[in-house]
Structures are given as C-alpha cells and as structure tokens.
Amino acid sequence: MKTALVLEGGAMRGLFSCGVTDVMNEAGMTFDAILGVSAGAVFSGCNYKSHQPGRVLRYNLRFCKDPRFCSLRSWAKTGDLYGADFCYRAIPDELDPFDHETFAADPTDFYVVCTDAVTGRPVYRLCPKGDAHDLIWMRASASMPLASRVVEVDGYHLLDGGVSDSIPIRKALALGYERCVVVLTQPLGYVKKKNSLLPLMRLALKRYPALVDTMAKRQDVYNETVAFLRAKEREGTVFVLRPEEALAIGKVEHDPEKIQAAYDAGRQVGTKRLAALRDFLKD
C-alpha cells in the first residue's frame, strides 16, 4: 500500500510541522511520497527527504533577527520579504548546508505545490534532485502574494501554492497513495475567512486576474477541503496531526521564544501520537 506525507503551509506556523516531522524522521518513518505546500515544502518536506531533523529550527533561531533573512528592508530592496538570495542560496549552500546528495539519493518522491499566476490553478512539481533548480520551485511554492515577487521558472509565473491548494490531499489520493498522513498547522475547528487584503491584491496583481479570482475563493476551497479531510479521517483512510490549539506565532516572527514554542508544540503532538501513527501505517 503506497503512503504519502501531505504538509500544509502557513508561513511560520510551519515550525509546528517541523516539530512533528522531526519526531517522525528520527523514528525512521518513510513514505513513498511527500507533497509539501509553501512552508510545508521549504521547512518540513525537503528536510525530511534530506534526513536533516533540527535544521529548520536551528537556522530560524540563528537568523530570525537578521534583516537579510526576513525584513521590510529586504522587501523594499528586492521585492521579497524573505530574502531570496539569502534564504535559498546563502543558507543552504554556506551557512547551514542543505544535504543535496542525501535528498537526491532518498527514493521518496517529493512534490511541491505552486500556484500558476496566469491561470490561478495549482501546479504540482516533482523535485527529485534538491539542486538549485528545484530550490527555485520550492521558493515559488513559498512566495506569498504581496510579500514576494512572482517567480518565473520553466515558462511559469508562480506564487504560493497555498493560494490554490493549501492541503493537497485530493492530489495525493489521485496519484494513488492510499494511506496519507496529513500535517495541518491550524487546530480542529479552524475556519478560514476571506482575506481582508483582497482589494489591495486586486491592485497589486492586476496583471493576473485569474490569480486574484482564485484568492477570492480561497477560503471556500480551504474550508471544503478541511471538511473532506475530516470525513476521510473518520473513515480511517487518512491520519491527521494538527495543533491542539492555535499557535501563538505570526506569519513573520522575530521572537526566538515563539519560534521555539511552535516547534516544541509540534514535537509534543508528534511524540504523543507516534504509536498510533505507526499502527496506521502498519495497518
């Protein structure tokens, strides 16, 4: 039976997912595929495949106050709140090396989810090597509208995958993965509301009307997907790990204590449910 790990985004809430997946990685759990969206791709997913638990927490604590990592200065100078060169070259190549060789050698299929800014539709990209080209796709998956430039790669104009498919459970099932483990970054009962910045997005992204239309419907698609996921969870065909309460962390976070707390909350949930997760995958 084929298995998949599905990782929601959520900006810095992704540190919760890192706590969960680090526990799973340390326990030696393997999957046939990982599907990551936004922070789920660039935090948890890629480091799961490269077998580097603890790496994301380490560099977030080290650089959370560094303006090259995330700052209004970076946004004003480059158009990216999270500095693209610093986050996707300097850190993985020099400051806290990403293990490209282990990533490429691991047999797990790793998909990132992006949003095509021209069509407003999700794009699911298989990233087998973890090289510089794959990292462009990972960056695109985590490029939040307004906070990031549109990423141009392989003929696409791309932004955050969470805009079009925040929780790619249906894609995982369509690909034939019968047993799916899903890590969410919002607690049970969370209901997404309409984005209050939508009028500003209509102005800033007027070149991409289909993208804006997708943004306008995002909350409806998200809430319906959560309901679908709950039904699958009750059936016992999907195993969901989620925060026990709302995480006290912002989309941008410079406080090391809040970063550590979000990660620790993930480790606690991962540890608490590890035995049940083993049973689910074994069954």
Side-chain angles (χ1 to χ4, degrees), residues 259-275:
I259 289 170
Q260 184 72 55
Y263 175 82
D264 289 345
R267 286 202 69 97
Q268 289 165 10
V269 169
T271 301
K272 181 179 178 180
R273 303 201 63 201
L274 186 61

mmCIF file with all atom_site columns, all heavy atoms in Angstrom, residues 259-275:
data_model
loop_
_atom_site.group_PDB
_atom_site.id
_atom_site.type_symbol
_atom_site.label_atom_id
_atom_site.label_alt_id
_atom_site.label_comp_id
_atom_site.label_asym_id
_atom_site.label_entity_id
_atom_site.label_seq_id
_atom_site.pdbx_PDB_ins_code
_atom_site.Cartn_x
_atom_site.Cartn_y
_atom_site.Cartn_z
_atom_site.occupancy
_atom_site.B_iso_or_equiv
_atom_site.pdbx_formal_charge
_atom_site.auth_seq_id
_atom_site.auth_comp_id
_atom_site.auth_asym_id
_atom_site.auth_atom_id
_atom_site.pdbx_PDB_model_num
ATOM 1   N N   . ILE A 1 259 ? 9.287  31.077 18.232 1.00 0.00 ? 259 ILE A N   1
ATOM 2   C CA  . ILE A 1 259 ? 9.746  30.089 17.248 1.00 0.00 ? 259 ILE A CA  1
ATOM 3   C C   . ILE A 1 259 ? 9.955  28.741 17.920 1.00 0.00 ? 259 ILE A C   1
ATOM 4   O O   . ILE A 1 259 ? 9.478  27.705 17.440 1.00 0.00 ? 259 ILE A O   1
ATOM 5   C CB  . ILE A 1 259 ? 11.043 30.588 16.576 1.00 0.00 ? 259 ILE A CB  1
ATOM 6   C CG1 . ILE A 1 259 ? 10.732 31.765 15.644 1.00 0.00 ? 259 ILE A CG1 1
ATOM 7   C CG2 . ILE A 1 259 ? 11.741 29.461 15.814 1.00 0.00 ? 259 ILE A CG2 1
ATOM 8   C CD1 . ILE A 1 259 ? 11.957 32.480 15.112 1.00 0.00 ? 259 ILE A CD1 1
ATOM 9   N N   . GLN A 1 260 ? 10.644 28.762 19.042 1.00 0.00 ? 260 GLN A N   1
ATOM 10  C CA  . GLN A 1 260 ? 10.900 27.521 19.782 1.00 0.00 ? 260 GLN A CA  1
ATOM 11  C C   . GLN A 1 260 ? 9.597  26.894 20.255 1.00 0.00 ? 260 GLN A C   1
ATOM 12  O O   . GLN A 1 260 ? 9.418  25.668 20.186 1.00 0.00 ? 260 GLN A O   1
ATOM 13  C CB  . GLN A 1 260 ? 11.807 27.809 20.979 1.00 0.00 ? 260 GLN A CB  1
ATOM 14  C CG  . GLN A 1 260 ? 12.226 26.575 21.763 1.00 0.00 ? 260 GLN A CG  1
ATOM 15  C CD  . GLN A 1 260 ? 13.230 25.714 21.047 1.00 0.00 ? 260 GLN A CD  1
ATOM 16  O OE1 . GLN A 1 260 ? 14.297 26.200 20.642 1.00 0.00 ? 260 GLN A OE1 1
ATOM 17  N NE2 . GLN A 1 260 ? 12.918 24.438 20.868 1.00 0.00 ? 260 GLN A NE2 1
ATOM 18  N N   . ALA A 1 261 ? 8.670  27.719 20.733 1.00 0.00 ? 261 ALA A N   1
ATOM 19  C CA  . ALA A 1 261 ? 7.405  27.200 21.264 1.00 0.00 ? 261 ALA A CA  1
ATOM 20  C C   . ALA A 1 261 ? 6.576  26.525 20.178 1.00 0.00 ? 261 ALA A C   1
ATOM 21  O O   . ALA A 1 261 ? 5.966  25.471 20.422 1.00 0.00 ? 261 ALA A O   1
ATOM 22  C CB  . ALA A 1 261 ? 6.609  28.330 21.912 1.00 0.00 ? 261 ALA A CB  1
ATOM 23  N N   . ALA A 1 262 ? 6.535  27.104 18.979 1.00 0.00 ? 262 ALA A N   1
ATOM 24  C CA  . ALA A 1 262 ? 5.779  26.484 17.882 1.00 0.00 ? 262 ALA A CA  1
ATOM 25  C C   . ALA A 1 262 ? 6.388  25.137 17.505 1.00 0.00 ? 262 ALA A C   1
ATOM 26  O O   . ALA A 1 262 ? 5.667  24.152 17.268 1.00 0.00 ? 262 ALA A O   1
ATOM 27  C CB  . ALA A 1 262 ? 5.741  27.420 16.670 1.00 0.00 ? 262 ALA A CB  1
ATOM 28  N N   . TYR A 1 263 ? 7.699  25.089 17.446 1.00 0.00 ? 263 TYR A N   1
ATOM 29  C CA  . TYR A 1 263 ? 8.389  23.833 17.137 1.00 0.00 ? 263 TYR A CA  1
ATOM 30  C C   . TYR A 1 263 ? 8.138  22.796 18.234 1.00 0.00 ? 263 TYR A C   1
ATOM 31  O O   . TYR A 1 263 ? 7.832  21.631 17.954 1.00 0.00 ? 263 TYR A O   1
ATOM 32  C CB  . TYR A 1 263 ? 9.881  24.097 16.984 1.00 0.00 ? 263 TYR A CB  1
ATOM 33  C CG  . TYR A 1 263 ? 10.713 22.855 16.775 1.00 0.00 ? 263 TYR A CG  1
ATOM 34  C CD1 . TYR A 1 263 ? 10.834 22.282 15.515 1.00 0.00 ? 263 TYR A CD1 1
ATOM 35  C CD2 . TYR A 1 263 ? 11.380 22.254 17.840 1.00 0.00 ? 263 TYR A CD2 1
ATOM 36  C CE1 . TYR A 1 263 ? 11.601 21.132 15.318 1.00 0.00 ? 263 TYR A CE1 1
ATOM 37  C CE2 . TYR A 1 263 ? 12.150 21.114 17.654 1.00 0.00 ? 263 TYR A CE2 1
ATOM 38  C CZ  . TYR A 1 263 ? 12.257 20.562 16.396 1.00 0.00 ? 263 TYR A CZ  1
ATOM 39  O OH  . TYR A 1 263 ? 13.003 19.427 16.208 1.00 0.00 ? 263 TYR A OH  1
ATOM 40  N N   . ASP A 1 264 ? 8.246  23.220 19.487 1.00 0.00 ? 264 ASP A N   1
ATOM 41  C CA  . ASP A 1 264 ? 8.038  22.301 20.601 1.00 0.00 ? 264 ASP A CA  1
ATOM 42  C C   . ASP A 1 264 ? 6.617  21.753 20.612 1.00 0.00 ? 264 ASP A C   1
ATOM 43  O O   . ASP A 1 264 ? 6.395  20.570 20.955 1.00 0.00 ? 264 ASP A O   1
ATOM 44  C CB  . ASP A 1 264 ? 8.329  23.001 21.930 1.00 0.00 ? 264 ASP A CB  1
ATOM 45  C CG  . ASP A 1 264 ? 9.814  23.272 22.143 1.00 0.00 ? 264 ASP A CG  1
ATOM 46  O OD1 . ASP A 1 264 ? 10.631 22.679 21.409 1.00 0.00 ? 264 ASP A OD1 1
ATOM 47  O OD2 . ASP A 1 264 ? 10.142 24.072 23.033 1.00 0.00 ? 264 ASP A OD2 1
ATOM 48  N N   . ALA A 1 265 ? 5.642  22.592 20.243 1.00 0.00 ? 265 ALA A N   1
ATOM 49  C CA  . ALA A 1 265 ? 4.253  22.118 20.177 1.00 0.00 ? 265 ALA A CA  1
ATOM 50  C C   . ALA A 1 265 ? 4.122  20.990 19.158 1.00 0.00 ? 265 ALA A C   1
ATOM 51  O O   . ALA A 1 265 ? 3.388  20.016 19.383 1.00 0.00 ? 265 ALA A O   1
ATOM 52  C CB  . ALA A 1 265 ? 3.323  23.275 19.814 1.00 0.00 ? 265 ALA A CB  1
ATOM 53  N N   . GLY A 1 266 ? 4.852  21.107 18.051 1.00 0.00 ? 266 GLY A N   1
ATOM 54  C CA  . GLY A 1 266 ? 4.844  20.042 17.051 1.00 0.00 ? 266 GLY A CA  1
ATOM 55  C C   . GLY A 1 266 ? 5.480  18.772 17.560 1.00 0.00 ? 266 GLY A C   1
ATOM 56  O O   . GLY A 1 266 ? 4.970  17.669 17.336 1.00 0.00 ? 266 GLY A O   1
ATOM 57  N N   . ARG A 1 267 ? 6.598  18.898 18.232 1.00 0.00 ? 267 ARG A N   1
ATOM 58  C CA  . ARG A 1 267 ? 7.259  17.713 18.790 1.00 0.00 ? 267 ARG A CA  1
ATOM 59  C C   . ARG A 1 267 ? 6.353  17.014 19.803 1.00 0.00 ? 267 ARG A C   1
ATOM 60  O O   . ARG A 1 267 ? 6.314  15.782 19.872 1.00 0.00 ? 267 ARG A O   1
ATOM 61  C CB  . ARG A 1 267 ? 8.584  18.092 19.446 1.00 0.00 ? 267 ARG A CB  1
ATOM 62  C CG  . ARG A 1 267 ? 9.700  18.429 18.473 1.00 0.00 ? 267 ARG A CG  1
ATOM 63  C CD  . ARG A 1 267 ? 11.078 18.274 19.125 1.00 0.00 ? 267 ARG A CD  1
ATOM 64  N NE  . ARG A 1 267 ? 11.373 16.879 19.388 1.00 0.00 ? 267 ARG A NE  1
ATOM 65  C CZ  . ARG A 1 267 ? 12.106 16.092 18.586 1.00 0.00 ? 267 ARG A CZ  1
ATOM 66  N NH1 . ARG A 1 267 ? 12.598 16.562 17.445 1.00 0.00 ? 267 ARG A NH1 1
ATOM 67  N NH2 . ARG A 1 267 ? 12.344 14.836 18.911 1.00 0.00 ? 267 ARG A NH2 1
ATOM 68  N N   . GLN A 1 268 ? 5.637  17.796 20.598 1.00 0.00 ? 268 GLN A N   1
ATOM 69  C CA  . GLN A 1 268 ? 4.753  17.202 21.600 1.00 0.00 ? 268 GLN A CA  1
ATOM 70  C C   . GLN A 1 268 ? 3.637  16.397 20.935 1.00 0.00 ? 268 GLN A C   1
ATOM 71  O O   . GLN A 1 268 ? 3.343  15.266 21.346 1.00 0.00 ? 268 GLN A O   1
ATOM 72  C CB  . GLN A 1 268 ? 4.170  18.298 22.488 1.00 0.00 ? 268 GLN A CB  1
ATOM 73  C CG  . GLN A 1 268 ? 5.184  18.923 23.432 1.00 0.00 ? 268 GLN A CG  1
ATOM 74  C CD  . GLN A 1 268 ? 4.716  20.223 24.041 1.00 0.00 ? 268 GLN A CD  1
ATOM 75  O OE1 . GLN A 1 268 ? 3.553  20.598 23.920 1.00 0.00 ? 268 GLN A OE1 1
ATOM 76  N NE2 . GLN A 1 268 ? 5.625  20.933 24.696 1.00 0.00 ? 268 GLN A NE2 1
ATOM 77  N N   . VAL A 1 269 ? 3.022  16.973 19.891 1.00 0.00 ? 269 VAL A N   1
ATOM 78  C CA  . VAL A 1 269 ? 1.967  16.252 19.183 1.00 0.00 ? 269 VAL A CA  1
ATOM 79  C C   . VAL A 1 269 ? 2.536  15.029 18.474 1.00 0.00 ? 269 VAL A C   1
ATOM 80  O O   . VAL A 1 269 ? 1.953  13.937 18.511 1.00 0.00 ? 269 VAL A O   1
ATOM 81  C CB  . VAL A 1 269 ? 1.256  17.188 18.180 1.00 0.00 ? 269 VAL A CB  1
ATOM 82  C CG1 . VAL A 1 269 ? 0.351  16.400 17.240 1.00 0.00 ? 269 VAL A CG1 1
ATOM 83  C CG2 . VAL A 1 269 ? 0.444  18.247 18.923 1.00 0.00 ? 269 VAL A CG2 1
ATOM 84  N N   . GLY A 1 270 ? 3.690  15.189 17.831 1.00 0.00 ? 270 GLY A N   1
ATOM 85  C CA  . GLY A 1 270 ? 4.305  14.063 17.143 1.00 0.00 ? 270 GLY A CA  1
ATOM 86  C C   . GLY A 1 270 ? 4.644  12.915 18.073 1.00 0.00 ? 270 GLY A C   1
ATOM 87  O O   . GLY A 1 270 ? 4.400  11.739 17.761 1.00 0.00 ? 270 GLY A O   1
ATOM 88  N N   . THR A 1 271 ? 5.189  13.242 19.226 1.00 0.00 ? 271 THR A N   1
ATOM 89  C CA  . THR A 1 271 ? 5.553  12.214 20.211 1.00 0.00 ? 271 THR A CA  1
ATOM 90  C C   . THR A 1 271 ? 4.316  11.543 20.785 1.00 0.00 ? 271 THR A C   1
ATOM 91  O O   . THR A 1 271 ? 4.258  10.310 20.922 1.00 0.00 ? 271 THR A O   1
ATOM 92  C CB  . THR A 1 271 ? 6.384  12.845 21.344 1.00 0.00 ? 271 THR A CB  1
ATOM 93  O OG1 . THR A 1 271 ? 7.562  13.445 20.784 1.00 0.00 ? 271 THR A OG1 1
ATOM 94  C CG2 . THR A 1 271 ? 6.792  11.806 22.372 1.00 0.00 ? 271 THR A CG2 1
ATOM 95  N N   . LYS A 1 272 ? 3.306  12.345 21.102 1.00 0.00 ? 272 LYS A N   1
ATOM 96  C CA  . LYS A 1 272 ? 2.070  11.837 21.692 1.00 0.00 ? 272 LYS A CA  1
ATOM 97  C C   . LYS A 1 272 ? 1.357  10.854 20.772 1.00 0.00 ? 272 LYS A C   1
ATOM 98  O O   . LYS A 1 272 ? 0.767  9.872  21.227 1.00 0.00 ? 272 LYS A O   1
ATOM 99  C CB  . LYS A 1 272 ? 1.162  13.022 22.016 1.00 0.00 ? 272 LYS A CB  1
ATOM 100 C CG  . LYS A 1 272 ? -0.162 12.674 22.661 1.00 0.00 ? 272 LYS A CG  1
ATOM 101 C CD  . LYS A 1 272 ? -0.939 13.962 22.952 1.00 0.00 ? 272 LYS A CD  1
ATOM 102 C CE  . LYS A 1 272 ? -2.295 13.684 23.566 1.00 0.00 ? 272 LYS A CE  1
ATOM 103 N NZ  . LYS A 1 272 ? -3.027 14.959 23.846 1.00 0.00 ? 272 LYS A NZ  1
ATOM 104 N N   . ARG A 1 273 ? 1.437  11.086 19.466 1.00 0.00 ? 273 ARG A N   1
ATOM 105 C CA  . ARG A 1 273 ? 0.662  10.278 18.525 1.00 0.00 ? 273 ARG A CA  1
ATOM 106 C C   . ARG A 1 273 ? 1.524  9.328  17.699 1.00 0.00 ? 273 ARG A C   1
ATOM 107 O O   . ARG A 1 273 ? 1.044  8.714  16.745 1.00 0.00 ? 273 ARG A O   1
ATOM 108 C CB  . ARG A 1 273 ? -0.147 11.209 17.603 1.00 0.00 ? 273 ARG A CB  1
ATOM 109 C CG  . ARG A 1 273 ? -1.065 12.163 18.372 1.00 0.00 ? 273 ARG A CG  1
ATOM 110 C CD  . ARG A 1 273 ? -2.173 12.688 17.526 1.00 0.00 ? 273 ARG A CD  1
ATOM 111 N NE  . ARG A 1 273 ? -3.047 11.629 17.082 1.00 0.00 ? 273 ARG A NE  1
ATOM 112 C CZ  . ARG A 1 273 ? -3.864 11.737 16.017 1.00 0.00 ? 273 ARG A CZ  1
ATOM 113 N NH1 . ARG A 1 273 ? -3.887 12.839 15.318 1.00 0.00 ? 273 ARG A NH1 1
ATOM 114 N NH2 . ARG A 1 273 ? -4.633 10.724 15.664 1.00 0.00 ? 273 ARG A NH2 1
ATOM 115 N N   . LEU A 1 274 ? 2.779  9.187  18.088 1.00 0.00 ? 274 LEU A N   1
ATOM 116 C CA  . LEU A 1 274 ? 3.695  8.367  17.304 1.00 0.00 ? 274 LEU A CA  1
ATOM 117 C C   . LEU A 1 274 ? 3.265  6.910  17.247 1.00 0.00 ? 274 LEU A C   1
ATOM 118 O O   . LEU A 1 274 ? 3.276  6.287  16.170 1.00 0.00 ? 274 LEU A O   1
ATOM 119 C CB  . LEU A 1 274 ? 5.106  8.481  17.889 1.00 0.00 ? 274 LEU A CB  1
ATOM 120 C CG  . LEU A 1 274 ? 6.219  7.792  17.102 1.00 0.00 ? 274 LEU A CG  1
ATOM 121 C CD1 . LEU A 1 274 ? 6.338  8.378  15.700 1.00 0.00 ? 274 LEU A CD1 1
ATOM 122 C CD2 . LEU A 1 274 ? 7.554  7.930  17.846 1.00 0.00 ? 274 LEU A CD2 1
ATOM 123 N N   . ALA A 1 275 ? 2.849  6.341  18.374 1.00 0.00 ? 275 ALA A N   1
ATOM 124 C CA  . ALA A 1 275 ? 2.444  4.929  18.386 1.00 0.00 ? 275 ALA A CA  1
ATOM 125 C C   . ALA A 1 275 ? 1.217  4.710  17.509 1.00 0.00 ? 275 ALA A C   1
ATOM 126 O O   . ALA A 1 275 ? 1.143  3.734  16.746 1.00 0.00 ? 275 ALA A O   1
ATOM 127 C CB  . ALA A 1 275 ? 2.165  4.482  19.819 1.00 0.00 ? 275 ALA A CB  1
#
